[in-house]
Amino acid sequence: MNPRHFLDIDRLSGPELRSILDRSAAMKQARQGLPRGTPDPDRPLAGRLLAMIFDKPSTRTRVSFDVAMRQLGGETLLLHTGEMQLGRGETIADTARVLSRYVDAIMLRTGRQGALDELAEHASVPVINGLTNVSHPCQIMADIMTYEEHRGAIAGRRVAWVGDGNNVANSWIHASARLGFELRLGCPEELAPTKRVLGWAEKQGAQVSLSADPYHAVADSDLVVADVWVSMADDPGSKRHNVLAPYRVDGKLMAAAKPDALFMHCLPAHRGEEVTAEVLDGPQSVVWDEAENRLHAQKGILTWCLLRA
Ligand code: CP
Ligand code: NVA
């Protein structure tokens, strides 16, 4: 049987994503009141081992996957590419074949989507995308879960993405098509998502639109989402900051959204750059719930991959 990979939102169906989200919420509910260090009442991944390979830094992804595995009864191995033979030229395909003999699943964070695809092609165990230069699907699962916890079904709602049309934006585009909400992107022309992903959304009949005007994107939206101006894949430099300055989410821009609109950011955040402290730390912001839900969403993803649940 082929392993069940979690590589990108567009590679799963709406019902598959919905079943992961529902189980994530149920598992969160099931451990209400339990200390964080105790396992879930049901330990469905007892005896299972997840290898986590990081080619880039991480706080949330690394810790939430680790804690999720522990709470589900399993264990993790933390690997950094620079300390593996991968860093000395061993191929990804051979690494996939070898790790598949030791562990039950592999999570990879890498700058190259091609590396993730190659790993998945040659692994005989599930591979999970822990962020690439072009997508961040685990993050969007936590984001949708967070929206629905606060406001109910996301289908039919209007979400505004403001700033760089980056990897996280791409996963939001995928989710819009699969889960049936409107996505309005407000991005500078030179940092807009690629024609490829926008063309894919159009073919899917998704309600995704692009504008260079952040106020147009945010108008009457139920949720405003921002991300860093300089992603791990980008060269830092003042040019991006100059181009993105009009897209900073401040109180004035938030006021263009619906009065009860939420604000999300996958974090890490840079207060005063892509979002003001007033918004990030303000009453509409749900960023800490969003970060917590990475843990619960990982559980839905891990059990979907490993138990085919
Ligand atoms: N949001 C997110 O993926 O955070 P980390 O880079 O800390 O994992
Ligand atoms: N777009 C950001 C997300 C970090 C979680 C990056 O790729 O650095």
Side-chain angles (χ1 to χ4, degrees):
M1 203 190 302
N2 287 334
R4 207 181 220 189
H5 302 307
F6 185 83
L7 299 178
D8 260 325
I9 303 279
D10 61 333
R11 304 196 211 183
L12 273 72
S13 67
E16 283 174 315
L17 294 168
R18 183 50 59 194
S19 84
I20 293 174
L21 288 164
D22 288 349
R23 211 177 32 265
S24 302
M27 286 192 282
K28 179 174 182 178
Q29 183 63 34
R31 60 173 296 118
Q32 287 294 322
L34 284 181
R36 310 216 197 294
T38 55
D40 282 13
D42 174 18
R43 299 164 70 247
L45 297 188
R48 308 290 184 115
L49 182 55
L50 171 73
M52 307 190 292
I53 309 177
F54 286 93
D55 196 17
K56 300 267 175 196
S58 169
T59 298
R60 280 143 289 268
T61 304
R62 174 185 162 175
V63 178
S64 61
F65 265 109
D66 196 342
V67 174
M69 280 302 285
R70 290 175 198 222
Q71 291 185 351
L72 293 174
E75 291 191 56
T76 58
L77 265 180
L78 179 61
L79 305 165
H80 298 285
T81 44
E83 295 163 4
M84 299 170 72
Q85 296 290 7
L86 254 180
R88 296 184 56 247
E90 186 167 20
T91 67
I92 292 167
D94 288 352
T95 305
R97 293 181 184 107
V98 172
L99 290 184
S100 297
R101 300 289 177 105
Y102 298 139
V103 303
D104 299 288
I106 306 167
M107 192 279 296
L108 174 66
R109 169 168 288 196
T110 174
R112 289 197 306 121
Q113 180 82 18
L116 178 82
D117 288 333
E118 193 179 343
L119 189 75
E121 188 185 336
H122 297 282
S124 56
V125 299
V127 171
I128 298 171
N129 178 354
L131 179 148
T132 70
N133 52 339
V134 298
S135 61
H136 196 4
C138 294
Q139 179 67 51
I140 270 47
M141 298 303 281
D143 294 359
I144 304 283
M145 182 179 171
T146 307
Y147 182 84
E148 296 196 330
E149 255 177 22
H150 283 268
R151 295 284 187 266
I154 197 161
R157 302 302 184 119
R158 179 179 290 171
V159 177
W161 173 273
V162 194
D164 185 15
N166 63 15
N167 47 0
V168 180
N170 288 339
S171 290
W172 270 104
I173 293 170
H174 294 155
S176 164
R178 289 290 180 261
L179 297 169
F181 58 87
E182 182 185 356
L183 180 67
R184 291 192 174 195
L185 300 149
C187 310
E189 253 169 56
E190 55 268 67
L191 295 175
T194 60
K195 288 202 171 66
R196 189 167 167 212
V197 68
L198 293 172
W200 173 87
E202 198 179 337
K203 268 201 204 121
Q204 300 291 317
Q207 275 192 287
V208 174
S209 59
L210 173 66
S211 153
D213 177 358
Y215 282 88
H216 177 78
V218 166
D220 287 324
S221 58
D222 298 286
L223 169 64
V224 178
V225 192
D227 189 12
V228 291
W229 287 349
V230 182
S231 283
M232 290 181 274
D234 299 324
D235 288 330
S238 60
K239 189 164 174 280
R240 298 180 71 87
H241 288 73
N242 296 338
V243 170
L244 285 161
Y247 298 81
R248 174 177 301 120
V249 180
D250 57 13
K252 189 166 159 241
L253 187 58
M254 274 310 284
K258 285 189 181 153
D260 68 343
L262 299 175
F263 173 77
M264 285 194 199
H265 187 309
C266 66
L267 307 177
H270 297 81
R271 287 172 178 78
E273 286 193 14
E274 71 275 5
V275 58
T276 59
E278 168 202 22
V279 170
L280 189 79
D281 302 317
Q284 288 170 280
S285 171
V286 289
V287 297
W288 312 119
D289 292 341
E290 189 185 354
E292 176 186 336
N293 282 337
R294 292 295 307 277
L295 166 64
H296 308 293
Q298 315 301 28
K299 291 181 179 178
I301 294 163
L302 285 163
T303 52
W304 184 79
C305 289
L306 280 160
L307 304 178
R308 304 180 93 86

